[in-house]
Amino acid sequence: MNDMRIIQRTAGMNDIKIHAKGVDVFYGDNHAIKDVSVDIEDKTVTAFIGPSGCGKSTFLRCLNRMNDTIDICRVTGDIRLDDEDIYDKAVDPVQLRAKVGMVFQKPNPFPKSIYDNVAYGPRIHGLARNKADLDEIVEKSLRRGAIWDEVKDRLDAPGTGLSGGQQQRLCIARAVATAPEVLLMDEPCSALDPIATAQVEELIDELRQNYSVVIVTHSMQQAARVSQKTAFFHLGDLVEYGETGKIFTNPDDSRTESYITGRIG
Amino acid sequence: MPVYWLILIVLGLAAIGYVAGRGRAIASNGGDPRGLHSLPSFYGHNVALSVMTPAFGLLIVWLIAQPILIDLSVSADIPDSAIAEGQNRSLVMSDVRRLADGLDLMVQDGTITEADAQSATADGDLRDRLADVGVALGSDIQAYVLDAAQTYRGMASTGSLFMWGAVLLAAIAGFGISYAKTNKDFRARNTVEQGITVLLIGAACIAILTTIGILFSLIANTFEFFRLYNITDFFFGTVWNPSFSGRGGASELGILPLLWGTFYISLVALLVAVPIGLFAAIYLSEYATPRVRSIAKPMLEVLAGIPTIVYGLFALLTVGPFLVSVFGKDTVGWMSGGTAVITAGLVMGVMLIPFVSSLSDDIINAVPQAMRDGSYGLGATQSETIRQVVLPAALPGIVGAILLAASRAIGETMIVVLGAGAAAKLSLNPFEAMTTVTAKIVSQLTGDSDFASPEALVAFALGTTLFVITLGLNVFALYIVRKYREQYE
Ligand SMILES: Nc1ncnc2c1ncn2[C@@H]1O[C@H](COP(=O)(O)OP(=O)(O)OP(=O)(O)O)[C@@H](O)[C@H]1O
Ligand SMILES: [Mg+2]
């Protein structure tokens, strides 16, 4: 635990961006998320930690209604984005997802060129006025995804031809390019080397100036480094949620402490 | 004794070999199957395969070679002088074979004894008695034909005796050798797997050799045709006007009107089938609920099971008259008869819909869900996702499906015969009757035309041309698919 740079950041006086209350998720009969309530703040990085299969990805996917694409998945409870119920019938999930972007656990570049992968979002949302504009967005996003130097000479090459870690960063760049208000990142650094990880963490810190970021990670160090708030999930329950510094130094629940010190998980 | 007894005996030997090989392997390790190099069943399979492979291989070669050799030798024995006026050697030989078979049949039936069969004479009621067992001979039996038939039978029975001996010997030798080799260190697993590889290669070779065989018979006849008919007149002639049985002067056999008909009708068919099939596939795979899909997909596939002759009747009796009532002389007067390019094209298009939709549906379904999620996650709508992510990813497969449908369209015959008419014409008007290459192949080979005339042989030239075109289409399809594979995987 020594190498953890726990930075005591000023406890946010930020607004609540996403307000989740009493959320339950079922996959058929499997009760994957049990009565979870979380308030995710604006301009804050929130980390979800917990053992494998505890429901981190599932909960993350609730926040931009990606669970809609799974037939057997049923979500109940109340989730509000800027005080608007996102599961309301009047809400268009497409617009919601434009505001709440997502980087998936498994990299999933489209079978298109690297350029088209990144330009995909800006194109469908009409974010660029002209080609030069689009070029600029693509370059900026790829730089923020810490992959520009590696691909700048082969923007026409297929995105599926990149290495696993490169694909992961391409997907980050792709998500950033749409300029979402909230960015959900499911283990964005699972296949990255320490240098690329540091660059992505820098990006997350930078995004925090304007957006809200939720990151799922299995690295305690990473959670401690980048986040201000941490939520610990265990077997579908939200065990503890609070200031990152407090969770890592002085958790209330014994399960949290065991997990952080490596005794369960 | 019939050959299937021999096959049964060899199979029996193989079964015994399996048990024996397995037993010997286990025994060689002191009754413990664990220390063997391979699982005990591999030793058994090894012996069984060693029995069957040489025996059946020899059997197949023998069954193919024996009739050919006997034919040659019997045919050489018939002097030229004996062959009657207006006959030729191959006709005589076919009589010989028929007579020999007939005698065999009679012996089998018990109508006559073997001794009687050998001493049968050409005169008397032999021909009638042969007719009774179902062997009809064209003319009275000539003495020399009967002689030849007797020689034929003699050689055939000696031959099959030798065959029995050789095959059994091969089986027993295979048994002995592999059984002797069986012990606990013998690498039976590797040997059996090699044997299976050879089996698979053999199957592939048969498929390829058959294709080559078909191709050669086509090409030989095509060359024969080009000896009788000018090659440039065939490929660049714009008139198709064959005259039958040498009546009424020379034929004009230009392929262009037929090719044009083929392409025009296929084009209309694809214009119908590709959009409808593709849209149906997109609906089924992306929008339909599982319940709708489970009902609609089999129903669409029923279309593929309808015989094409039924489609032909549909074109002739329903679509044709309907189109005439819409475009006929009562209204705009574009169409004079029910048989037309548009009739055949529309019906053929309907026939192709399930090909396009079913294949495309499978291909679209194979696009990973993660790809769709990625697109939805960026705030794309379902139709944007389909157009910009799913379809491009599925494109190589879809192109393959379309080209497959095109091959079907080009090769289709019955719908054309009944729906498009028989007039070979070069015209742009889709309401006129036209015909295709396949339909003309049928009409050139049916009827009582002489098989050596250019009017009949032209069918092979047409067939070869069609073959080359479909081959080109398939190569093109492969090229496209490969090109996209390189880009997207
Ligand atoms: N598509 C699905 N269909 C059915 N069950 C699912 C599905 N996705 C997840 N589950 C179930 O939901 C539970 C939580 O899964 P989830 O993917 O959210 O875990 P996780 O915390 O992200 O784990 P990891 O750290 O390994 O990614 C698991 O029990 C899993 O089996
Ligand atoms: Mg997960």
Side-chain angles (χ1 to χ4, degrees), chain A residues 24-34 53 58 72-74:
Chain A
D24 283 281
V25 181
F26 302 85
Y27 290 109
D29 293 335
N30 179 6
H31 197 172
I33 290 287
K34 296 163 193 156
T58 302
I72 57 166
C73 185
R74 200 156 50 81

Side-chain angles (χ1 to χ4, degrees), chain B residues 286-298:
Chain B
E286 297 288 326
Y287 292 97
T289 60
R291 239 177 71 82
V292 172
R293 186 183 148 82
S294 70
I295 298 169
K297 198 173 179 199

Side-chain angles (χ1 to χ4, degrees), chain A residues 27-28 30-33 50-59 61 70 72-73 105 186-187 216 218 233:
Chain A
Y27 290 109
N30 179 6
H31 197 172
I33 290 287
S52 189
C54 68
K56 306 180 295 295
S57 301
T58 302
F59 188 68
R61 290 164 63 96
I70 300 172
I72 57 166
C73 185
Q105 182 162 5
D186 200 345
E187 296 181 40
V216 172
H218 281 294
F233 287 80

